Amino acid sequence: AGIQLENSVATLSAYRTLRPAFILQALRMAVSPLARLVSLLLALAVCLPLTCTAVLSVGSETCSTGVGQDACRQDDLTGGPGSALGLLQQKSSMHHSSVDAGEAVAPAAGGRARRDLVLMHIPYNFGHTTEKIAAFGSGPVAMAKYLALEAALESSHDTEARWQLVNESSSTGSEFWGHLDPDLFQPSEVTGCPLYFTPAKYWPTDIAQSYFQDKTIFGMLRDPYERLVAMFRGNMKGYGGSYPEFFKTCDVNGAVRKMMTDYLAGDKYAADCTFIPQAEYFDEPFGIDLAVDNRRFPDSLNEVFAEHGYDFHIAENDILHVLGCPEVWAGDLSCDTKALVKQVYARDFELLCKNFGYCDQDENCCIEGVPMMCPSNLEEKRKTATYCSGTSSG
């Protein structure tokens, strides 16, 4: 039950659209009353590190009063008839992160600087998992802390208040990357999406310089077919899209074809910029310097962390991942649909070839190191998978 609970909460928490209502929805998905109780206790447990008062009111439409009442908005907290969840932050002294932006770092073995990384969060590339590990570490308590901070940041509408939340939740070695950085909540004038999901070439220069500094910008690079399949399986309206007409029958091919036709029709920045080609996050200025192989996640990122002097380690149960339609995969896409994917994501395929040697644009893959990211009968699925023109990026 604990693993199922963590996965159900993780699935819903791993997106910008997370509000307290989404956490409540995750609690309702827990497989048993015991699992729901455990999740509530974990959420309450994070309040001491956050120096907060938490009110989790299941079955109440009222929003509690007290310190932080301005951030306790009914429209953000309502999770459907008869449900609400509020996080009320108390005033406390702000303190700086244990790893200051300008703090000198000791060189690691081989002369490489230690703790010199900063994340560029490409949507649907395990960025939320990376942010959680960097801020709170591994394990179920870290998961609860992440959920609580995520909800509090989304519920707040003030940058200074958000920074207070982050500073209060900081501990030795914490890094607050991506959408745990309050300065990145403002919408882009180009995309309309929050900066944390927008390619950095579109950020205001002062914010980009403050966030990236002179660090190594890293980001995950994912196979376009497999990434679109994950978006379909996530089935989150506003983040990767929700396609109920296809989801109810697990028609991944129909859904991905619609994603691509909508994009080509001009809906480039839809669903929180999840359909932007990954290559745009590598473009200068402030493009990704270090590509991490998403196909080998989490091993690939754990190796990068170790090489750069971090003690972060992503374990299997730390990973936020999709759950729906678990038996579909890239091999279920037709050649016509794959042709549309190649058209939209041509530069992504080129980057995969350049960085990792994955030069066969028709290869069907899945992430075997992450639970439920491959069909249970993978070998049988390989026998019936589509394989098209044999296009190569090399």
Side-chain angles (χ1 to χ4, degrees), residues 37-186:
L37 176 61
V38 170
S39 65
L40 288 169
L41 291 175
L42 285 173
L44 287 169
V46 304
C47 289
L48 287 178
L50 287 173
T51 320
C52 72
T53 300
V55 177
L56 295 105
S57 52
V58 180
S60 169
E61 294 184 353
T62 62
C63 188
S64 299
T65 59
V67 178
Q69 184 178 3
D70 290 343
C72 190
R73 295 165 53 91
Q74 185 63 29
D75 57 349
D76 281 342
L77 299 179
T78 301
S83 66
L85 181 153
L87 288 171
L88 309 179
Q89 293 299 135
Q90 291 181 340
K91 299 288 186 180
S92 67
S93 299
M94 296 178 66
H95 62 273
H96 295 287
S97 173
S98 57
V99 181
D100 290 330
E103 182 179 332
V105 290
R112 177 172 288 176
R114 295 177 60 86
R115 301 186 66 91
D116 63 336
L117 298 176
V118 61
L119 173 68
M120 180 68 248
H121 188 152
I122 301 177
Y124 259 95
N125 282 17
F126 296 104
H128 295 85
T129 295
T130 304
E131 292 168 354
K132 179 187 75 73
I133 287 292
F136 299 113
S138 180
V141 173
M143 180 72 74
K145 290 181 179 180
Y146 174 79
L147 287 169
L149 180 59
E150 171 80 17
L153 291 174
E154 291 285 359
S155 296
S156 176
H157 301 275
D158 178 77
T159 300
E160 183 178 347
R162 286 181 173 133
W163 271 116
Q164 180 172 325
L165 296 174
V166 168
N167 287 330
E168 289 170 352
S169 60
S170 177
S171 60
T172 301
S174 295
E175 299 274 6
F176 292 89
W177 290 327
H179 80 310
L180 294 184
D181 186 304
D183 290 336
L184 306 187
F185 274 74
Q186 73 178 64

Side-chain angles (χ1 to χ4, degrees), residues 257-271:
R257 185 189 302 118
K258 178 170 174 54
M259 293 176 191
M260 296 298 92
T261 55
D262 288 350
Y263 181 93
L264 291 168
D267 206 5
K268 182 176 181 180
Y269 302 129

